[in-house]
Amino acid sequence: MIYATRTGVGIHTGQPCTATLEALPPGSGIVFDTPQGIIQAQADRVIETLRCTVLGSGEARLSTVEHLLSACAGRGIRDLKVTVDGPELPILDGSAAGWAEVLPQSPLHLREIPEPLIVTGKGGAFIACFPAEKLTVTCAIAFEHPLVGTQVARWEPPPAPASGGAYLEEIAPARTFGFIEEVQKLLDAGLAKGGSLDNAVIVHQDRYEPPLRFANELARHKLLDLLGDLWLAGFLPKADIIAMKPSHGLNCRLASLLSRIDFE
Ligand SMILES: [Zn+2]
């Protein structure tokens, strides 16, 4: 069964790409079918985390998988074939809404973890994951910027039978963002080729362009990214997850730790 086909450009490469989402039998996992070969959506397939999450296997590679994977995490989708004809998933409107709204809601796949996990990065960045009865995710960002400052976002899906709760309405629509100074540098360096005001929020000194969908949309987007990267573990932990200034690098390191838990 085909859920949907989405066409658009990649935000970093500017390359066009059509992605077709198709149901797979239970146990298949999430699979990207690229012109160069198959890539399983697994933590050990991460080959780059600089500006987005890039997966690779053999000759095949695919950039910016995190928003689609976030939609899968929020919707509880563990088995999916994504057939692509380009090097980077379409950015759509910069959020996960365009992916999440075409996927059905399945029970979230939560697993108990035996002990706390923590990954740390530069500048006080960390993600801590404490075993708990249920899943809660709290994500904070902090920028020395007159407009942004500190923002916090939270997501707590209702308990079993687990559903995505408010993911579709409150997390999926949060768009990616960039600071105007950085955006200019990226464009000068020939990067962010597909970026535009249709798929990203530009942060100026005194305003957001276009206007925000939520007062804490930036923190919500970081939470969205975190869920997408963690889904590379194949499950979400029954845990209190506290993320401070998370990045794709940190997210994927935690996903790797989770994926290596021996559940017997
Ligand atoms: Zn993102």
Side-chain angles (χ1 to χ4, degrees), residues 83-121:
T83 305
V84 297
D85 63 359
E88 182 178 7
L89 283 177
I91 188 65
L92 307 180
D93 73 348
S95 80
W99 304 116
E101 66 196 17
V102 300
L103 295 170
Q105 185 69 52
S106 303
L108 293 188
H109 186 54
L110 304 181
R111 297 196 81 158
E112 289 179 14
I113 57 169
E115 58 188 8
L117 297 171
I118 185 163
V119 289
T120 57

PDB file of all heavy atoms in Angstrom, residues 83-121:
ATOM      1  N   THR A  83      11.059   5.095  -1.415  1.00  0.00           N
ATOM      2  CA  THR A  83      11.791   5.029  -2.680  1.00  0.00           C
ATOM      3  C   THR A  83      12.094   6.453  -3.130  1.00  0.00           C
ATOM      4  O   THR A  83      11.190   7.289  -3.225  1.00  0.00           O
ATOM      5  CB  THR A  83      10.947   4.310  -3.750  1.00  0.00           C
ATOM      6  OG1 THR A  83      10.561   3.024  -3.233  1.00  0.00           O
ATOM      7  CG2 THR A  83      11.737   4.121  -5.038  1.00  0.00           C
ATOM      8  N   VAL A  84      13.371   6.745  -3.371  1.00  0.00           N
ATOM      9  CA  VAL A  84      13.782   8.106  -3.747  1.00  0.00           C
ATOM     10  C   VAL A  84      14.557   8.086  -5.058  1.00  0.00           C
ATOM     11  O   VAL A  84      15.171   7.076  -5.416  1.00  0.00           O
ATOM     12  CB  VAL A  84      14.666   8.758  -2.655  1.00  0.00           C
ATOM     13  CG1 VAL A  84      13.908   8.915  -1.350  1.00  0.00           C
ATOM     14  CG2 VAL A  84      15.945   7.962  -2.436  1.00  0.00           C
ATOM     15  N   ASP A  85      14.527   9.215  -5.768  1.00  0.00           N
ATOM     16  CA  ASP A  85      15.302   9.323  -7.003  1.00  0.00           C
ATOM     17  C   ASP A  85      16.325  10.458  -6.927  1.00  0.00           C
ATOM     18  O   ASP A  85      16.847  10.891  -7.941  1.00  0.00           O
ATOM     19  CB  ASP A  85      14.360   9.514  -8.211  1.00  0.00           C
ATOM     20  CG  ASP A  85      13.573  10.800  -8.117  1.00  0.00           C
ATOM     21  OD1 ASP A  85      13.729  11.528  -7.120  1.00  0.00           O
ATOM     22  OD2 ASP A  85      12.800  11.088  -9.054  1.00  0.00           O
ATOM     23  N   GLY A  86      16.572  10.951  -5.733  1.00  0.00           N
ATOM     24  CA  GLY A  86      17.542  12.035  -5.574  1.00  0.00           C
ATOM     25  C   GLY A  86      18.399  11.817  -4.342  1.00  0.00           C
ATOM     26  O   GLY A  86      18.186  10.867  -3.585  1.00  0.00           O
ATOM     27  N   PRO A  87      19.386  12.725  -4.111  1.00  0.00           N
ATOM     28  CA  PRO A  87      20.358  12.538  -3.033  1.00  0.00           C
ATOM     29  C   PRO A  87      19.897  13.041  -1.674  1.00  0.00           C
ATOM     30  O   PRO A  87      20.573  12.821  -0.672  1.00  0.00           O
ATOM     31  CB  PRO A  87      21.552  13.377  -3.506  1.00  0.00           C
ATOM     32  CG  PRO A  87      20.926  14.482  -4.301  1.00  0.00           C
ATOM     33  CD  PRO A  87      19.712  13.887  -4.966  1.00  0.00           C
ATOM     34  N   GLU A  88      18.770  13.749  -1.645  1.00  0.00           N
ATOM     35  CA  GLU A  88      18.321  14.355  -0.391  1.00  0.00           C
ATOM     36  C   GLU A  88      16.798  14.377  -0.374  1.00  0.00           C
ATOM     37  O   GLU A  88      16.164  14.710  -1.383  1.00  0.00           O
ATOM     38  CB  GLU A  88      18.866  15.790  -0.288  1.00  0.00           C
ATOM     39  CG  GLU A  88      18.490  16.476   1.005  1.00  0.00           C
ATOM     40  CD  GLU A  88      19.064  17.893   1.130  1.00  0.00           C
ATOM     41  OE1 GLU A  88      19.650  18.400   0.143  1.00  0.00           O
ATOM     42  OE2 GLU A  88      18.905  18.484   2.210  1.00  0.00           O
ATOM     43  N   LEU A  89      16.200  14.041   0.783  1.00  0.00           N
ATOM     44  CA  LEU A  89      14.736  14.062   0.866  1.00  0.00           C
ATOM     45  C   LEU A  89      14.219  15.484   0.664  1.00  0.00           C
ATOM     46  O   LEU A  89      14.866  16.450   1.066  1.00  0.00           O
ATOM     47  CB  LEU A  89      14.272  13.527   2.231  1.00  0.00           C
ATOM     48  CG  LEU A  89      14.322  12.015   2.399  1.00  0.00           C
ATOM     49  CD1 LEU A  89      13.904  11.628   3.810  1.00  0.00           C
ATOM     50  CD2 LEU A  89      13.431  11.308   1.383  1.00  0.00           C
ATOM     51  N   PRO A  90      13.055  15.621   0.049  1.00  0.00           N
ATOM     52  CA  PRO A  90      12.467  16.955  -0.128  1.00  0.00           C
ATOM     53  C   PRO A  90      12.257  17.623   1.233  1.00  0.00           C
ATOM     54  O   PRO A  90      11.835  16.968   2.182  1.00  0.00           O
ATOM     55  CB  PRO A  90      11.119  16.681  -0.795  1.00  0.00           C
ATOM     56  CG  PRO A  90      11.158  15.283  -1.286  1.00  0.00           C
ATOM     57  CD  PRO A  90      12.202  14.556  -0.491  1.00  0.00           C
ATOM     58  N   ILE A  91      12.555  18.911   1.306  1.00  0.00           N
ATOM     59  CA  ILE A  91      12.428  19.618   2.588  1.00  0.00           C
ATOM     60  C   ILE A  91      10.962  19.979   2.870  1.00  0.00           C
ATOM     61  O   ILE A  91      10.598  20.264   4.007  1.00  0.00           O
ATOM     62  CB  ILE A  91      13.341  20.869   2.604  1.00  0.00           C
ATOM     63  CG1 ILE A  91      13.384  21.519   3.984  1.00  0.00           C
ATOM     64  CG2 ILE A  91      12.955  21.884   1.557  1.00  0.00           C
ATOM     65  CD1 ILE A  91      14.022  20.667   5.063  1.00  0.00           C
ATOM     66  N   LEU A  92      10.120  19.935   1.841  1.00  0.00           N
ATOM     67  CA  LEU A  92       8.699  20.313   1.990  1.00  0.00           C
ATOM     68  C   LEU A  92       8.624  21.726   2.601  1.00  0.00           C
ATOM     69  O   LEU A  92       9.285  22.627   2.111  1.00  0.00           O
ATOM     70  CB  LEU A  92       7.933  19.265   2.788  1.00  0.00           C
ATOM     71  CG  LEU A  92       8.072  17.816   2.248  1.00  0.00           C
ATOM     72  CD1 LEU A  92       7.282  16.842   3.097  1.00  0.00           C
ATOM     73  CD2 LEU A  92       7.648  17.731   0.777  1.00  0.00           C
ATOM     74  N   ASP A  93       7.873  21.900   3.667  1.00  0.00           N
ATOM     75  CA  ASP A  93       7.798  23.249   4.251  1.00  0.00           C
ATOM     76  C   ASP A  93       8.785  23.453   5.399  1.00  0.00           C
ATOM     77  O   ASP A  93       8.667  24.404   6.161  1.00  0.00           O
ATOM     78  CB  ASP A  93       6.355  23.566   4.703  1.00  0.00           C
ATOM     79  CG  ASP A  93       5.968  22.800   5.960  1.00  0.00           C
ATOM     80  OD1 ASP A  93       6.711  21.863   6.349  1.00  0.00           O
ATOM     81  OD2 ASP A  93       4.925  23.125   6.559  1.00  0.00           O
ATOM     82  N   GLY A  94       9.773  22.555   5.515  1.00  0.00           N
ATOM     83  CA  GLY A  94      10.781  22.689   6.564  1.00  0.00           C
ATOM     84  C   GLY A  94      10.392  21.996   7.863  1.00  0.00           C
ATOM     85  O   GLY A  94      11.165  21.964   8.808  1.00  0.00           O
ATOM     86  N   SER A  95       9.187  21.430   7.891  1.00  0.00           N
ATOM     87  CA  SER A  95       8.718  20.729   9.088  1.00  0.00           C
ATOM     88  C   SER A  95       8.505  19.254   8.743  1.00  0.00           C
ATOM     89  O   SER A  95       8.840  18.800   7.647  1.00  0.00           O
ATOM     90  CB  SER A  95       7.400  21.353   9.568  1.00  0.00           C
ATOM     91  OG  SER A  95       6.301  20.888   8.798  1.00  0.00           O
ATOM     92  N   ALA A  96       7.902  18.523   9.687  1.00  0.00           N
ATOM     93  CA  ALA A  96       7.591  17.107   9.426  1.00  0.00           C
ATOM     94  C   ALA A  96       6.113  16.920   9.102  1.00  0.00           C
ATOM     95  O   ALA A  96       5.656  15.789   8.925  1.00  0.00           O
ATOM     96  CB  ALA A  96       7.982  16.254  10.629  1.00  0.00           C
ATOM     97  N   ALA A  97       5.367  18.017   9.026  1.00  0.00           N
ATOM     98  CA  ALA A  97       3.910  17.901   8.861  1.00  0.00           C
ATOM     99  C   ALA A  97       3.535  17.167   7.573  1.00  0.00           C
ATOM    100  O   ALA A  97       2.634  16.321   7.572  1.00  0.00           O
ATOM    101  CB  ALA A  97       3.267  19.286   8.882  1.00  0.00           C
ATOM    102  N   GLY A  98       4.237  17.481   6.479  1.00  0.00           N
ATOM    103  CA  GLY A  98       3.908  16.887   5.189  1.00  0.00           C
ATOM    104  C   GLY A  98       4.132  15.376   5.158  1.00  0.00           C
ATOM    105  O   GLY A  98       3.538  14.671   4.345  1.00  0.00           O
ATOM    106  N   TRP A  99       5.000  14.882   6.027  1.00  0.00           N
ATOM    107  CA  TRP A  99       5.218  13.437   6.153  1.00  0.00           C
ATOM    108  C   TRP A  99       4.232  12.848   7.163  1.00  0.00           C
ATOM    109  O   TRP A  99       3.608  11.818   6.907  1.00  0.00           O
ATOM    110  CB  TRP A  99       6.651  13.132   6.622  1.00  0.00           C
ATOM    111  CG  TRP A  99       7.747  13.687   5.778  1.00  0.00           C
ATOM    112  CD1 TRP A  99       8.668  14.631   6.148  1.00  0.00           C
ATOM    113  CD2 TRP A  99       8.079  13.347   4.420  1.00  0.00           C
ATOM    114  NE1 TRP A  99       9.548  14.884   5.120  1.00  0.00           N
ATOM    115  CE2 TRP A  99       9.199  14.117   4.051  1.00  0.00           C
ATOM    116  CE3 TRP A  99       7.533  12.462   3.480  1.00  0.00           C
ATOM    117  CZ2 TRP A  99       9.792  14.035   2.787  1.00  0.00           C
ATOM    118  CZ3 TRP A  99       8.122  12.377   2.219  1.00  0.00           C
ATOM    119  CH2 TRP A  99       9.231  13.156   1.888  1.00  0.00           C
ATOM    120  N   ALA A 100       4.094  13.520   8.317  1.00  0.00           N
ATOM    121  CA  ALA A 100       3.281  12.957   9.407  1.00  0.00           C
ATOM    122  C   ALA A 100       1.820  12.815   9.000  1.00  0.00           C
ATOM    123  O   ALA A 100       1.151  11.857   9.377  1.00  0.00           O
ATOM    124  CB  ALA A 100       3.406  13.826  10.655  1.00  0.00           C
ATOM    125  N   GLU A 101       1.323  13.777   8.209  1.00  0.00           N
ATOM    126  CA  GLU A 101      -0.114  13.765   7.916  1.00  0.00           C
ATOM    127  C   GLU A 101      -0.503  12.667   6.925  1.00  0.00           C
ATOM    128  O   GLU A 101      -1.688  12.327   6.842  1.00  0.00           O
ATOM    129  CB  GLU A 101      -0.568  15.141   7.418  1.00  0.00           C
ATOM    130  CG  GLU A 101       0.016  15.544   6.085  1.00  0.00           C
ATOM    131  CD  GLU A 101      -0.129  17.045   5.809  1.00  0.00           C
ATOM    132  OE1 GLU A 101      -0.378  17.808   6.753  1.00  0.00           O
ATOM    133  OE2 GLU A 101       0.004  17.428   4.627  1.00  0.00           O
ATOM    134  N   VAL A 102       0.466  12.092   6.221  1.00  0.00           N
ATOM    135  CA  VAL A 102       0.114  11.016   5.285  1.00  0.00           C
ATOM    136  C   VAL A 102       0.301   9.625   5.894  1.00  0.00           C
ATOM    137  O   VAL A 102      -0.058   8.621   5.285  1.00  0.00           O
ATOM    138  CB  VAL A 102       0.915  11.108   3.959  1.00  0.00           C
ATOM    139  CG1 VAL A 102       0.633  12.429   3.275  1.00  0.00           C
ATOM    140  CG2 VAL A 102       2.403  10.903   4.194  1.00  0.00           C
ATOM    141  N   LEU A 103       0.890   9.564   7.081  1.00  0.00           N
ATOM    142  CA  LEU A 103       1.110   8.264   7.737  1.00  0.00           C
ATOM    143  C   LEU A 103      -0.012   7.983   8.726  1.00  0.00           C
ATOM    144  O   LEU A 103      -0.482   8.891   9.402  1.00  0.00           O
ATOM    145  CB  LEU A 103       2.459   8.267   8.471  1.00  0.00           C
ATOM    146  CG  LEU A 103       3.700   8.398   7.589  1.00  0.00           C
ATOM    147  CD1 LEU A 103       4.932   8.635   8.451  1.00  0.00           C
ATOM    148  CD2 LEU A 103       3.884   7.149   6.724  1.00  0.00           C
ATOM    149  N   PRO A 104      -0.432   6.725   8.842  1.00  0.00           N
ATOM    150  CA  PRO A 104      -1.452   6.384   9.836  1.00  0.00           C
ATOM    151  C   PRO A 104      -0.846   6.398  11.235  1.00  0.00           C
ATOM    152  O   PRO A 104       0.371   6.304  11.384  1.00  0.00           O
ATOM    153  CB  PRO A 104      -1.851   4.958   9.445  1.00  0.00           C
ATOM    154  CG  PRO A 104      -0.638   4.397   8.785  1.00  0.00           C
ATOM    155  CD  PRO A 104       0.048   5.552   8.090  1.00  0.00           C
ATOM    156  N   GLN A 105      -1.698   6.535  12.243  1.00  0.00           N
ATOM    157  CA  GLN A 105      -1.189   6.469  13.618  1.00  0.00           C
ATOM    158  C   GLN A 105      -1.161   5.025  14.090  1.00  0.00           C
ATOM    159  O   GLN A 105      -2.170   4.325  14.046  1.00  0.00           O
ATOM    160  CB  GLN A 105      -2.065   7.294  14.565  1.00  0.00           C
ATOM    161  CG  GLN A 105      -1.519   7.371  15.982  1.00  0.00           C
ATOM    162  CD  GLN A 105      -0.245   8.204  16.078  1.00  0.00           C
ATOM    163  OE1 GLN A 105      -0.211   9.339  15.608  1.00  0.00           O
ATOM    164  NE2 GLN A 105       0.817   7.640  16.639  1.00  0.00           N
ATOM    165  N   SER A 106       0.015   4.581  14.530  1.00  0.00           N
ATOM    166  CA  SER A 106       0.163   3.257  15.120  1.00  0.00           C
ATOM    167  C   SER A 106       0.596   3.443  16.567  1.00  0.00           C
ATOM    168  O   SER A 106       1.091   4.504  16.918  1.00  0.00           O
ATOM    169  CB  SER A 106       1.241   2.463  14.383  1.00  0.00           C
ATOM    170  OG  SER A 106       0.925   2.367  13.022  1.00  0.00           O
ATOM    171  N   PRO A 107       0.441   2.408  17.393  1.00  0.00           N
ATOM    172  CA  PRO A 107       0.943   2.528  18.769  1.00  0.00           C
ATOM    173  C   PRO A 107       2.433   2.849  18.753  1.00  0.00           C
ATOM    174  O   PRO A 107       3.171   2.310  17.921  1.00  0.00           O
ATOM    175  CB  PRO A 107       0.681   1.149  19.365  1.00  0.00           C
ATOM    176  CG  PRO A 107      -0.383   0.549  18.514  1.00  0.00           C
ATOM    177  CD  PRO A 107      -0.166   1.100  17.138  1.00  0.00           C
ATOM    178  N   LEU A 108       2.857   3.710  19.645  1.00  0.00           N
ATOM    179  CA  LEU A 108       4.284   4.017  19.716  1.00  0.00           C
ATOM    180  C   LEU A 108       5.030   2.788  20.210  1.00  0.00           C
ATOM    181  O   LEU A 108       4.520   2.036  21.028  1.00  0.00           O
ATOM    182  CB  LEU A 108       4.549   5.174  20.679  1.00  0.00           C
ATOM    183  CG  LEU A 108       4.028   6.534  20.279  1.00  0.00           C
ATOM    184  CD1 LEU A 108       4.550   7.578  21.246  1.00  0.00           C
ATOM    185  CD2 LEU A 108       4.427   6.888  18.851  1.00  0.00           C
ATOM    186  N   HIS A 109       6.222   2.607  19.701  1.00  0.00           N
ATOM    187  CA  HIS A 109       7.019   1.462  20.139  1.00  0.00           C
ATOM    188  C   HIS A 109       7.983   1.933  21.219  1.00  0.00           C
ATOM    189  O   HIS A 109       9.034   2.501  20.935  1.00  0.00           O
ATOM    190  CB  HIS A 109       7.779   0.883  18.951  1.00  0.00           C
ATOM    191  CG  HIS A 109       8.495  -0.373  19.284  1.00  0.00           C
ATOM    192  ND1 HIS A 109       7.865  -1.458  19.848  1.00  0.00           N
ATOM    193  CD2 HIS A 109       9.794  -0.721  19.163  1.00  0.00           C
ATOM    194  CE1 HIS A 109       8.753  -2.418  20.043  1.00  0.00           C
ATOM    195  NE2 HIS A 109       9.923  -1.991  19.644  1.00  0.00           N
ATOM    196  N   LEU A 110       7.591   1.722  22.488  1.00  0.00           N
ATOM    197  CA  LEU A 110       8.424   2.146  23.607  1.00  0.00           C
ATOM    198  C   LEU A 110       9.069   0.927  24.251  1.00  0.00           C
ATOM    199  O   LEU A 110       8.440  -0.120  24.378  1.00  0.00           O
ATOM    200  CB  LEU A 110       7.582   2.885  24.659  1.00  0.00           C
ATOM    201  CG  LEU A 110       6.783   4.092  24.183  1.00  0.00           C
ATOM    202  CD1 LEU A 110       6.023   4.708  25.352  1.00  0.00           C
ATOM    203  CD2 LEU A 110       7.682   5.125  23.535  1.00  0.00           C
ATOM    204  N   ARG A 111      10.314   1.077  24.661  1.00  0.00           N
ATOM    205  CA  ARG A 111      11.002  -0.031  25.336  1.00  0.00           C
ATOM    206  C   ARG A 111      11.632   0.471  26.625  1.00  0.00           C
ATOM    207  O   ARG A 111      12.149   1.597  26.691  1.00  0.00           O
ATOM    208  CB  ARG A 111      12.109  -0.597  24.439  1.00  0.00           C
ATOM    209  CG  ARG A 111      11.604  -1.197  23.167  1.00  0.00           C
ATOM    210  CD  ARG A 111      12.649  -2.067  22.506  1.00  0.00           C
ATOM    211  NE  ARG A 111      12.671  -3.372  23.141  1.00  0.00           N
ATOM    212  CZ  ARG A 111      13.151  -4.461  22.546  1.00  0.00           C
ATOM    213  NH1 ARG A 111      13.663  -4.384  21.320  1.00  0.00           N
ATOM    214  NH2 ARG A 111      13.146  -5.620  23.162  1.00  0.00           N
ATOM    215  N   GLU A 112      11.598  -0.412  27.627  1.00  0.00           N
ATOM    216  CA  GLU A 112      12.269  -0.081  28.885  1.00  0.00           C
ATOM    217  C   GLU A 112      13.768  -0.171  28.677  1.00  0.00           C
ATOM    218  O   GLU A 112      14.258  -1.048  27.968  1.00  0.00           O
ATOM    219  CB  GLU A 112      11.839  -1.059  29.982  1.00  0.00           C
ATOM    220  CG  GLU A 112      10.406  -0.831  30.403  1.00  0.00           C
ATOM    221  CD  GLU A 112       9.952  -1.809  31.465  1.00  0.00           C
ATOM    222  OE1 GLU A 112      10.797  -2.488  32.070  1.00  0.00           O
ATOM    223  OE2 GLU A 112       8.719  -1.896  31.669  1.00  0.00           O
ATOM    224  N   ILE A 113      14.484   0.739  29.295  1.00  0.00           N
ATOM    225  CA  ILE A 113      15.942   0.687  29.208  1.00  0.00           C
ATOM    226  C   ILE A 113      16.500   0.403  30.598  1.00  0.00           C
ATOM    227  O   ILE A 113      15.931   0.807  31.608  1.00  0.00           O
ATOM    228  CB  ILE A 113      16.542   1.984  28.624  1.00  0.00           C
ATOM    229  CG1 ILE A 113      16.126   3.208  29.442  1.00  0.00           C
ATOM    230  CG2 ILE A 113      16.118   2.152  27.175  1.00  0.00           C
ATOM    231  CD1 ILE A 113      16.896   4.467  29.076  1.00  0.00           C
ATOM    232  N   PRO A 114      17.615  -0.331  30.666  1.00  0.00           N
ATOM    233  CA  PRO A 114      18.101  -0.810  31.965  1.00  0.00           C
ATOM    234  C   PRO A 114      18.780   0.255  32.815  1.00  0.00           C
ATOM    235  O   PRO A 114      18.828   0.123  34.035  1.00  0.00           O
ATOM    236  CB  PRO A 114      19.098  -1.911  31.581  1.00  0.00           C
ATOM    237  CG  PRO A 114      19.525  -1.591  30.188  1.00  0.00           C
ATOM    238  CD  PRO A 114      18.370  -0.898  29.540  1.00  0.00           C
ATOM    239  N   GLU A 115      19.325   1.285  32.213  1.00  0.00           N
ATOM    240  CA  GLU A 115      20.080   2.263  33.002  1.00  0.00           C
ATOM    241  C   GLU A 115      20.087   3.607  32.298  1.00  0.00           C
ATOM    242  O   GLU A 115      19.800   3.681  31.100  1.00  0.00           O
ATOM    243  CB  GLU A 115      21.518   1.776  33.203  1.00  0.00           C
ATOM    244  CG  GLU A 115      22.223   1.533  31.880  1.00  0.00           C
ATOM    245  CD  GLU A 115      23.583   0.866  32.056  1.00  0.00           C
ATOM    246  OE1 GLU A 115      23.886   0.470  33.193  1.00  0.00           O
ATOM    247  OE2 GLU A 115      24.319   0.770  31.078  1.00  0.00           O
ATOM    248  N   PRO A 116      20.403   4.667  33.055  1.00  0.00           N
ATOM    249  CA  PRO A 116      20.449   5.997  32.425  1.00  0.00           C
ATOM    250  C   PRO A 116      21.533   6.066  31.357  1.00  0.00           C
ATOM    251  O   PRO A 116      22.561   5.391  31.446  1.00  0.00           O
ATOM    252  CB  PRO A 116      20.796   6.929  33.596  1.00  0.00           C
ATOM    253  CG  PRO A 116      20.468   6.162  34.827  1.00  0.00           C
ATOM    254  CD  PRO A 116      20.703   4.722  34.488  1.00  0.00           C
ATOM    255  N   LEU A 117      21.286   6.891  30.376  1.00  0.00           N
ATOM    256  CA  LEU A 117      22.275   7.119  29.331  1.00  0.00           C
ATOM    257  C   LEU A 117      22.459   8.626  29.213  1.00  0.00           C
ATOM    258  O   LEU A 117      21.507   9.394  29.368  1.00  0.00           O
ATOM    259  CB  LEU A 117      21.776   6.588  27.983  1.00  0.00           C
ATOM    260  CG  LEU A 117      21.516   5.086  27.883  1.00  0.00           C
ATOM    261  CD1 LEU A 117      20.813   4.768  26.569  1.00  0.00           C
ATOM    262  CD2 LEU A 117      22.840   4.334  27.975  1.00  0.00           C
ATOM    263  N   ILE A 118      23.682   9.044  28.926  1.00  0.00           N
ATOM    264  CA  ILE A 118      23.888  10.474  28.709  1.00  0.00           C
ATOM    265  C   ILE A 118      24.958  10.663  27.647  1.00  0.00           C
ATOM    266  O   ILE A 118      25.921   9.889  27.581  1.00  0.00           O
ATOM    267  CB  ILE A 118      24.263  11.195  30.036  1.00  0.00           C
ATOM    268  CG1 ILE A 118      24.365  12.706  29.814  1.00  0.00           C
ATOM    269  CG2 ILE A 118      25.531  10.646  30.637  1.00  0.00           C
ATOM    270  CD1 ILE A 118      24.312  13.521  31.095  1.00  0.00           C
ATOM    271  N   VAL A 119      24.745  11.636  26.805  1.00  0.00           N
ATOM    272  CA  VAL A 119      25.770  12.033  25.837  1.00  0.00           C
ATOM    273  C   VAL A 119      25.993  13.529  26.023  1.00  0.00           C
ATOM    274  O   VAL A 119      25.057  14.276  26.308  1.00  0.00           O
ATOM    275  CB  VAL A 119      25.364  11.723  24.376  1.00  0.00           C
ATOM    276  CG1 VAL A 119      25.392  10.229  24.116  1.00  0.00           C
ATOM    277  CG2 VAL A 119      23.998  12.299  24.035  1.00  0.00           C
ATOM    278  N   THR A 120      27.242  13.943  25.906  1.00  0.00           N
ATOM    279  CA  THR A 120      27.551  15.349  26.143  1.00  0.00           C
ATOM    280  C   THR A 120      28.322  15.915  24.964  1.00  0.00           C
ATOM    281  O   THR A 120      29.054  15.204  24.266  1.00  0.00           O
ATOM    282  CB  THR A 120      28.408  15.533  27.417  1.00  0.00           C
ATOM    283  OG1 THR A 120      29.599  14.762  27.273  1.00  0.00           O
ATOM    284  CG2 THR A 120      27.653  15.073  28.649  1.00  0.00           C
ATOM    285  N   GLY A 121      28.122  17.217  24.751  1.00  0.00           N
ATOM    286  CA  GLY A 121      28.813  17.904  23.668  1.00  0.00           C
ATOM    287  C   GLY A 121      29.400  19.216  24.147  1.00  0.00           C
ATOM    288  O   GLY A 121      29.529  19.442  25.349  1.00  0.00           O
TER     289      GLY A 121
END
